Each structure stands twice: as C-alpha cells, then as structure tokens.
Amino acid sequence: MEAAYENNARMSIREYFDTIFSIMRSPGRFFAKAAGETGAKRSLFFLMISALFYCSVSMAYFFENSLSMGVIMMANAVLMPAFGALVTFILLGMTGWARLSYARVFIVYAYASGAVMVISWIPGLAIVMEPVRALLVGIGLIKIAEVGKLKAASLVLMTAFMVLLFFWSAAPLVAELQKAL
C-alpha cells in the first residue's frame, strides 16, 4: 500500500496542504517518510504547485500582472531549488559524505522550497523564511542523505556560499553581454 502512494506523482489539494502542514509541523518525521520515495516526481509536482501559487499571488499584488515578470519568477521558483540541489549533490560527491542520486537531493530542496514559498510572497517574510528553508534543507539532508548535523549544516552553508559565488561571478559577464547587445 505504501509503495503505491510513493510512486503516485499526482497530488490532490488536500494532500498538498497535508504535505505543507507535515513539513512545518514535524520536518524530521516528514523527511524520514520522504526518504522512502522512489522518485522525484511527487516532490517536483509539489514544488510546481507552490511556485504557481507564489508567482500568481506575487504578480497580482506586486508586479501588476506583468507576464514577463511572472515567467521570470516561475523560472526562478523552480530552477533555484534545482540549482541548489545540484550544488549540494556536487558537494556531497566531492566530500564523500554520502552517495546518493541527484533525485534524492532534489526531493529535499523541492519539499523545503515548496513549503516556504506559500508564505514567502508576503512582504518582509521572504527574508525571514530563507533561514527556515535552510533549516528544512538541513533536516532533510540529515534524514535522507543520512549525514550528521554538523555535516548537514556545513553542506547548507557551503551550498549558499557556492550559489552566491556563482551569481557574483556571473554578474559582470551578464553586464558585458547586455552592453554587447
């Protein structure tokens, strides 16, 4: 019975909200249960629903229904967790702390980011919810990647540093490309 639930990528509205409440109420228990998921489809679906909600509410209230801004926000909402998972996956491989697939790392980032997106559209709360997202990712890494607390905290900090370093390095290149075009 449990395997049929884990392989089912579809999610009803009730399951979606139950997932959010489970993540926020008891993230350790949720991620321990999510460790049994066989693929990343369910977590990707959860992330997509959260991203759609986040973008639609943000566009309606702050960006005056700008379609281009909505597309950028949607891409950001989906691709940044995937990029963070990629950096963490690379760091896990480089450090040798855990051997797991990219899908398993993505599950952590998708659920953590999706749960936080529902709240972070509110002005002023986005900055507060980033440490919450980092905490959720850390708990997910402890439960799914089975690394220790110190290693999980190190991975979260190293990932944040590497992502910031990537964008700081890419900024001058983007500026030069804009001048060329």
Side-chain angles (χ1 to χ4, degrees):
M1 182 75 172
E2 181 98 316
Y5 172 75
E6 292 166 355
N7 290 328
N8 184 9
R10 293 180 180 234
M11 183 181 284
S12 69
I13 297 295
R14 181 184 172 104
E15 287 174 321
Y16 173 76
F17 284 110
D18 286 345
T19 301
I20 290 174
F21 293 134
S22 295
I23 292 170
M24 291 304 188
R25 227 178 300 140
S26 179
R29 190 176 312 140
F30 175 81
F31 282 114
K33 185 178 172 185
E37 288 188 19
T38 56
K41 289 181 183 177
R42 188 171 180 80
S43 58
L44 177 61
F45 191 71
F46 176 79
L47 178 63
M48 295 293 285
I49 293 172
S50 295
L52 190 62
F53 173 79
Y54 172 77
C55 292
S56 60
V57 171
S58 295
M59 278 180 42
Y61 285 105
F62 306 112
F63 298 110
E64 299 166 1
N65 296 325
S66 168
L67 182 61
S68 61
M69 192 62 185
V71 170
I72 291 169
M73 287 181 67
M74 185 69 171
N76 182 56
V78 174
L79 294 178
M80 283 308 295
F83 184 61
L86 177 67
V87 172
T88 300
F89 174 72
I90 291 170
L91 289 171
L92 278 169
M94 289 172 61
T95 59
W97 289 342
R99 292 276 185 235
L100 62 155
S101 68
Y102 172 76
R104 310 274 297 151
V105 179
F106 179 75
I107 287 170
V108 172
Y109 276 85
Y111 281 130
S113 297
V116 169
M117 267 185 226
V118 176
I119 302 167
S120 62
W121 68 270
I122 300 170
L125 285 185
I127 212 92
V128 174
M129 295 310 289
E130 284 306 312
V132 173
R133 180 191 330 243
L135 180 66
L136 290 174
V137 167
I139 292 169
L141 289 173
I142 291 168
K143 295 298 182 179
I144 292 180
E146 297 177 351
V147 297
K149 292 177 182 178
L150 186 60
K151 289 180 181 177
S154 298
L155 282 168
V156 169
L157 290 173
M158 286 189 297
T159 299
F161 178 73
M162 295 300 289
V163 168
L164 285 172
L165 189 63
F166 173 79
F167 284 111
W168 285 338
S169 300
L173 177 64
V174 171
E176 286 299 318
L177 287 174
Q178 284 180 338
K179 286 180 189 176
L181 298 175

